[in-house]
Amino acid sequence: MRNPIWQGLLLLLLAGGPMAAQLWPPGPPVTVAANAGTFEVLDSVSAYEMGWELRYAPRRFRFLPRWAPDLMPTAGVMATTRGVIYPYAGFRFEIPLGDRWVLSPGTAAGLYYRDHGKNLGGGLEFRSHIELSFRLPWQDRIGISFYHLSNANLFDFNPGTESAVVTYTAKLRR
């Protein structure tokens, strides 16, 4: 019997290990984000979720073209009321929309443990998201985020799911 968590871990190490060794550690995190919302938001059966994410300073990567934005490494974890746990690491970038608004698309890869949650087909799942946030006067932010989680057809079964969450991002003071 195959264990999807071990399959996912093996795929993550083989695919991302060499790149991660070059990128990590990214230095101390500059912000921390807390979020809460609905997992499986577009499905008839949904669950509540909450999570935390560390966001690091933007970095310029040599392999990117000059026109590409600096990327912010991220690491986080999400858990649902149905026992899903999803630790992940990835990248995001920020697009300022005026003085107060920020649009942040990003992507990540992580290990998916489902317990009584939705079967997404395997232990390795990819997250793609977009967040719109409003910068508060003291530089923290509040926003909304929508993300898709799927295994990118690495496994035979790939239903995917979506989440909508409210996010509060706080700068870490030094």
Side-chain angles (χ1 to χ4, degrees), residues 25-95:
V30 293
T31 59
V32 62
N35 58 61
T38 304
F39 185 70
E40 300 177 81
V41 71
L42 300 180
D43 296 337
S44 59
V45 178
S46 61
Y48 297 107
E49 76 169 74
M50 63 182 298
W52 292 90
E53 183 175 272
L54 295 174
R55 299 175 181 175
Y56 297 86
R59 295 182 63 181
R60 169 56 51 186
F61 295 102
R62 292 183 300 242
F63 59 85
L64 292 175
R66 284 189 186 153
W67 54 265
D70 292 353
L71 297 178
M72 298 171 63
T74 61
V77 64
M78 173 274 290
T80 76
T81 53
R82 293 190 181 271
V84 169
I85 300 172
Y86 178 69
Y88 61 89
F91 298 97
R92 67 188 300 129
F93 64 93
E94 296 184 346
I95 304 167

Side-chain angles (χ1 to χ4, degrees), residues 14-15 45-47 59 68 101-102 107 112 128 134 140 151 153 158 162 173:
L14 291 175
V45 178
S46 61
R59 295 182 63 181
W101 292 95
V102 178
T107 188
Y112 184 79
S128 53
F134 180 77
D140 289 355
N151 66 46
N153 289 322
N158 183 28
E162 289 75 27
R173 315 291 187 238

